[in-house]
Amino acid sequence: MAPSKHTLPALGVVLLAVGVPLGLTTPPLGWLGVALVAAGLVLARPVVTALAGRLDTGRWTAGWRDVLALLVILALTRALLGGGGLTERIVTGDHPAHFFKAWELSERFLPSGRIIGWSHSWYAGSPVGYLYPWIGDLIIALVNRLSFGLLDFDQSYALVFFGVVALSGWSVYRFGTALMGRGPALLAAALFLTDAGWYRLGGFLYSISTGVWPQTLATACAFLALARVPELLNPPALVRRWRSVAWFAVHFGVSLLAHPALLVFWPIVLLVLLATLALRKAPGWTEGASRILLAVLVGSLIAAAWVLPFLDTREHAATLGAFWRTAYDVSAGLVDGTVLKGTLPSVVTLGFFGLVLLARSPAPLARTAALTALILTVLATSAL
């Protein structure tokens, strides 16, 4: 006997009810929960669609899809970080250094009204907060103080780190939604979070195990800023236009307050974006470009809190830059899908064809993403 048309959606709701709490537990049950949530979303789609349709045929539908995507991202983050992800800090790689930086800011600098200054606890004495940004340390200190004793400093660090990892997935989802729509964006976020990665290449190994999470925070803020570009170019209303300017500016500024790598990223992507707009010459492109430049100006004022002290002491910065791979190695890696060590070859291959499709798109943000990826890849090789 064939199942009723309500059987599979009902089963999907049950899987979601079981999978969400399981997804917040430790592996292997956590991974089982994630799988159940994924299956439940597929089976319960008619229920979710009908519920969203009853609430509203427009805005609420998109809103509920975003809520479901956020739940999936939080479940994946919980599964990735394991049992102590929310309460116990990771102690591998750079985590102890970031933990101490945040503790020192909270206990020694903030009480005297400082964010940057001289520390006798590093090396034989060293300036702190000049060469490496401090926004991550400040967030941890504020979370600890605003918990009013409910969280110790270890727990505050763990909670902020959990939030940064989840934010990285959410930023990919938001950026992907602006490029391709919510379905492909959620898939991209899931692949991003579960990428094994490699040293200097992001992913679990670099961002979570090695602990270079301020760069992850910076990248997430950059994605969130770029996701606002379509609204800046075609604002639906006056209020939303200025709200988009404000959000772009905040994310732009915080990205530079999180990691110095964005000092290289932003000039390239902004030049590509503005050149794309100028060459395309779509109606109203000058107004859109003006809003982007205004947002960049306001964001630069926010970032100046770290950028100006950094520029004043830049001669003391260590030169760590090095070419990535030869042009031949990069080209061969694109062919066989091994150019990004730790990333599934199928993801690399599909991503390459995805960039080709984005480059052919008339949307300025899509072309900017494709061209920026190409330029950054070329600049990183030894071909130049």
Side-chain angles (χ1 to χ4, degrees), residues 231-256:
E231 294 179 4
L232 291 173
L233 296 178
N234 300 291
L238 180 62
V239 174
R240 192 166 181 178
R241 174 190 310 170
W242 295 113
R243 185 176 66 184
S244 299
V245 169
W247 276 117
F248 186 103
V250 169
H251 290 134
F252 178 92
V254 173
S255 71
L256 288 166

Side-chain angles (χ1 to χ4, degrees), residues 149-283:
L150 294 177
L151 300 174
D152 60 30
F153 216 82
D154 284 65
Q155 292 170 328
S156 300
Y157 182 95
L159 182 62
V160 171
F161 180 65
F162 178 93
V164 169
V165 176
L167 182 68
S168 68
W170 177 250
S171 70
V172 171
Y173 171 76
R174 294 294 299 171
F175 183 61
T177 299
L179 285 176
M180 307 167 290
R182 288 177 170 80
L186 182 57
L187 176 60
L191 292 173
F192 180 85
L193 285 172
T194 55
D195 180 33
W198 197 252
Y199 187 65
R200 301 292 190 192
L201 296 180
F204 185 93
L205 177 66
Y206 191 61
S207 301
I208 296 178
S209 182
T210 305
V212 194
W213 61 265
Q215 187 169 351
T216 303
L217 173 60
T219 305
C221 290
F223 279 148
L224 290 172
L226 291 172
R228 296 283 176 176
V229 168
E231 294 179 4
L232 291 173
L233 296 178
N234 300 291
L238 180 62
V239 174
R240 192 166 181 178
R241 174 190 310 170
W242 295 113
R243 185 176 66 184
S244 299
V245 169
W247 276 117
F248 186 103
V250 169
H251 290 134
F252 178 92
V254 173
S255 71
L256 288 166
L257 291 176
H259 198 273
L262 276 293
L263 288 171
V264 177
F265 172 81
W266 275 119
I268 295 174
V269 72
L270 289 174
L271 284 175
V272 173
L273 176 59
L274 293 175
T276 301
L277 292 174
L279 292 174
R280 186 166 175 258
K281 293 183 179 178

Side-chain angles (χ1 to χ4, degrees), residues 57-100:
T57 57
R59 180 181 175 185
W60 277 102
T61 301
W64 278 103
R65 290 176 182 174
D66 290 342
V67 169
L68 290 175
L70 179 59
L71 291 176
V72 172
I73 289 169
L74 290 174
L76 278 173
T77 303
R78 187 68 177 87
L80 282 170
L81 297 183
L86 280 170
T87 57
E88 299 176 10
R89 66 182 178 92
I90 302 175
V91 295
T92 58
D94 291 349
H95 283 288
H98 291 305
F99 174 81
F100 182 78

